[in-house]
Amino acid sequence: MCRALGCGARTTRYGRYCNTHKSRLRRHGDVEQEAITKTDLKPYLDLIERRRLTNPANPFWTALQERWSSVCKDAEATIAFLSTRAGLRSDLQSAKEVLRLQSSCDPRAVIDTTMAMFMMLEMEPRRFRTDEAFSHQLVRRVRGLTETNAGRWFDHRSGKVKRAYRDLPPRTARIMASILAKALGGGGLTLAKLEKRDQEDRHRSRHALADGAATLT
Ligand SMILES: [Zn+2]
C-alpha cells in the first residue's frame, strides 16, 4: 500500500508510493508538498518591488545582478569543461538550464523570483514540507519564467491549449536550486528580515498610540 497519507493505493513494484504519489514526489520534492504558484509568490514580488523603489540607488541591487552574471559565467565554464569530458550529466544539465534562463528572461525576473521564494520560506515556513520540497518549488517557479520548458498541446476534450510541464530530474533540480540559493538566497533572507523589522515597528507604534490614548488626561 502507498505510504502517502490517506492514499491506500497499491505501490509500484518496489516503491513506497503509488504511481500518483511517486510522480508527486518527483515533481514537488515531497508527496505532500503543494505547488507554489505565481499568485502565491506575488505578495513577495510586490514587497521586493517596493523596497527597490524606496532604495533605487542602493548597491544591494547591483550586487545581486553581478551575482547572477557570475552564476551565468560559471555555467558557461562548466559547459565548456564538461562537454569535452565524461562529467556528471546533472551538472551539465543544470548549467544548460542556467544559460537557458539567461537567454530567455530578464535577469531581474530570475533574481526577484528567487528572492521572493526565500522570503516566503522565511515568512511562511510551513508552506514547505522539507528542504527538498523547497528546492523543487524554487526551481519550478524560476523555470516557470520561461515558456520553453512547457511543451504545448491541444486538448480536444476541453478545447484548450494545455501545457505539459517538463520537469528536471530531481538531481538536476537540486543542483540548480543550490546554485540559485548560494547566489541569491541571502538577498531574499535580508529582505525578509527587513519586512519583519518594519512589521514590528508598525506594531510597536500602534501600541504606543493605543497606550498613550488610554492614559491621556
Ligand atoms: Zn498514493
Side-chain angles (χ1 to χ4, degrees):
M1 294 254 272
C2 175
R3 289 220 209 155
L5 204 68
C7 178
R10 292 181 72 170
T11 61
T12 54
R13 201 160 167 199
Y14 300 106
R16 301 196 298 154
Y17 300 108
C18 67
N19 269 323
T20 310
H21 283 110
K22 200 175 141 190
S23 68
R24 260 199 96 72
L25 175 67
R26 196 181 152 83
R27 168 168 282 202
H28 293 293
D30 188 282
V31 286
E32 284 173 56
Q33 176 65 44
E34 296 287 330
I36 301 297
T37 64
K38 228 171 154 172
T39 316
D40 293 330
L41 217 52
K42 180 78 168 51
Y44 296 102
L45 290 168
D46 290 346
L47 289 174
I48 295 171
E49 198 49 42
R50 207 185 310 159
R51 193 70 67 184
R52 190 182 267 119
L53 286 173
T54 50
N55 302 268
N58 196 291
F60 181 75
W61 312 108
T62 36
L64 291 164
Q65 297 261 1
E66 278 159 20
R67 282 184 160 216
W68 173 241
S69 2
S70 94
V71 164
C72 297
K73 271 187 212 121
D74 287 352
E76 271 171 40
T78 301
I79 290 168
F81 181 81
L82 290 181
S83 55
T84 57
R85 290 165 186 83
L88 280 174
R89 223 180 85 81
S90 32
D91 283 321
L92 186 61
Q93 199 175 19
S94 56
K96 283 182 178 165
E97 273 299 302
V98 166
L99 294 193
R100 200 173 62 76
L101 285 174
Q102 185 194 28
S103 66
S104 55
C105 27
D106 181 2
R108 224 165 87 169
V110 177
I111 292 166
D112 288 7
T113 299
T114 304
M115 291 204 298
M117 283 298 292
F118 275 89
M119 289 177 81
M120 193 175 189
L121 177 65
E122 181 71 14
M123 299 173 87
E124 295 180 78
R126 266 174 273 177
R127 297 293 294 263
F128 304 100
R129 308 288 305 184
T130 59
D131 289 350
E132 175 85 2
F134 174 76
S135 294
H136 275 65
Q137 299 309 312
L138 169 62
V139 168
R140 280 175 69 84
R141 286 279 38 102
V142 171
R143 292 181 78 225
L145 294 168
T146 70
E147 294 288 323
T148 41
N149 62 316
R152 286 157 187 274
W153 56 283
F154 187 75
D155 182 5
H156 286 277
R157 241 186 316 178
S158 67
K160 285 180 185 158
V161 175
K162 294 217 167 174
R163 278 188 217 147
Y165 195 97
R166 271 203 299 272
D167 289 298
L168 291 175
R171 205 186 140 76
T172 306
R174 228 171 284 144
I175 293 172
M176 216 185 148
S178 89
I179 290 172
L180 291 169
K182 227 161 81 185
L184 308 166
L189 295 179
T190 299
L191 293 179
K193 278 181 198 130
L194 289 174
E195 291 306 329
K196 281 183 174 173
R197 185 202 63 188
D198 291 357
Q199 270 173 16
E200 278 159 22
D201 286 350
R202 282 194 294 271
H203 189 72
R204 247 198 305 277
S205 83
R206 258 200 309 275
H207 271 273
L209 188 72
D211 290 349
T215 54
L216 277 177
T217 54

